[in-house]
Amino acid sequence: MGKLDIVTIIIIAANVIISYKGFSDFGFFEKYKFHVGAVRRGEQFRLFSCGFLHADTAHLFFNMFSLYFFANVVIGYLGVVSFLIIYVGSLLLGSLLSLYFHKDEYHYSAVGASGAVMGIIYSAILLQPGMSLYIFFIPIPIPAYIFGIGYLLYSIYGMKNRIGNIGHDAHFGGAVGGYVITLILASWLFEENLMMIALLAIPIVLLFVLKKTGKI
């Protein structure tokens, strides 16, 4: 693990400071979280601000820990500006997909950097598909692309069955954001990793088909 770039440190620090402010200030938390009714009333800033609030310390730690592991891969290949574009773009696309799926649920709310972090993870998988991941207590490394496809399929399952108090749609939207924006910024991947691009597209196409047929 290389030295963290200053932009990653700033993002992690912002998430920690703003999240802890939200932990102790209910009014602040309520004002800036993702909330369908408030967004539809015109408070679009919540689509962005919700990405710096977290439900609890464990939620915050997991997201920042994941960002810590994958940020350098993206910055190393594409640079700081592209990293920021992917991070912010994935955050917003995650929020927009949540809005799309819950647009008629005026009381639906969510918080977390998960969409942005998933975007960075999927960008890293595209850029370095040969890398392996160690997941929790599983003692053997899992190829990154297997994790990527599996996680998106699980997110579709979670959306369809409303599993847990988890924003599966924001995770999925963020992953799609990382996928699409990375391919726009690094078009050379179509020559080097076309098979990987096609494999990671399968869950995205599946979600589109399920939505079109009313099965999700």
Side-chain angles (χ1 to χ4, degrees):
M1 186 69 208
K3 183 180 178 182
L4 278 183
D5 192 276
I6 185 65
V7 72
T8 309
I9 295 170
I10 291 170
I11 289 172
I12 291 174
N15 271 276
V16 170
I17 292 166
I18 295 169
S19 291
Y20 270 88
K21 170 69 173 171
F23 294 158
S24 61
D25 186 337
F26 180 76
F28 179 87
F29 185 88
E30 289 295 306
K31 182 177 180 180
Y32 292 106
K33 72 179 182 181
F34 175 84
H35 185 273
V36 171
V39 171
R40 294 193 63 175
R41 286 195 303 270
E43 296 180 10
Q44 278 82 18
F45 65 85
R46 291 173 181 262
L47 296 172
F48 177 75
S49 62
C50 67
F52 292 87
L53 291 168
H54 288 81
D56 52 41
T57 304
H59 186 206
L60 171 64
F61 174 79
F62 182 78
N63 276 335
M64 294 305 100
F65 191 65
S66 300
L67 181 62
Y68 165 79
F69 271 109
F70 290 96
N72 274 3
V73 175
V74 179
I75 292 172
Y77 276 91
L78 301 179
V80 168
V81 174
S82 292
F83 167 80
L84 286 172
I85 291 170
I86 294 167
Y87 188 91
V88 174
S90 299
L91 192 168
L92 292 175
L93 194 58
S95 293
L96 287 170
L97 193 68
S98 286
L99 183 63
Y100 175 67
F101 275 99
H102 301 283
K103 59 183 179 292
D104 297 321
E105 301 169 46
Y106 279 72
H107 296 292
Y108 181 86
S109 63
V111 292
S114 301
V117 173
M118 287 306 302
I120 296 300
I121 291 174
Y122 276 81
S123 177
I125 290 171
L126 280 172
L127 294 165
Q128 197 173 306
M131 67 179 172
S132 297
L133 309 176
Y134 284 90
I135 309 298
F136 297 110
F137 302 109
I138 300 174
I140 56 172
I142 298 172
Y145 69 92
I146 296 293
F147 169 80
I149 295 168
Y151 194 93
L152 284 192
L153 290 173
Y154 172 72
S155 292
I156 292 174
Y157 178 75
M159 278 186 265
K160 185 174 174 58
N161 296 283
R162 303 238 171 173
I163 296 173
N165 187 26
I166 300 171
H168 296 284
D169 29 37
H171 292 184
F172 195 100
V176 173
Y179 176 87
V180 172
I181 298 169
T182 299
L183 291 178
I184 292 170
L185 295 173
S187 57
W188 48 266
L189 287 169
F190 285 101
E191 295 179 14
E192 293 192 9
N193 296 322
L194 188 58
M195 180 61 73
M196 192 59 55
I197 291 169
L199 283 172
L200 287 171
I202 291 170
I204 298 171
V205 174
L206 178 61
L207 177 67
F208 177 78
V209 170
L210 289 172
K211 185 63 179 173
K212 273 289 189 183
T213 55
K215 293 180 180 178
I216 193 170

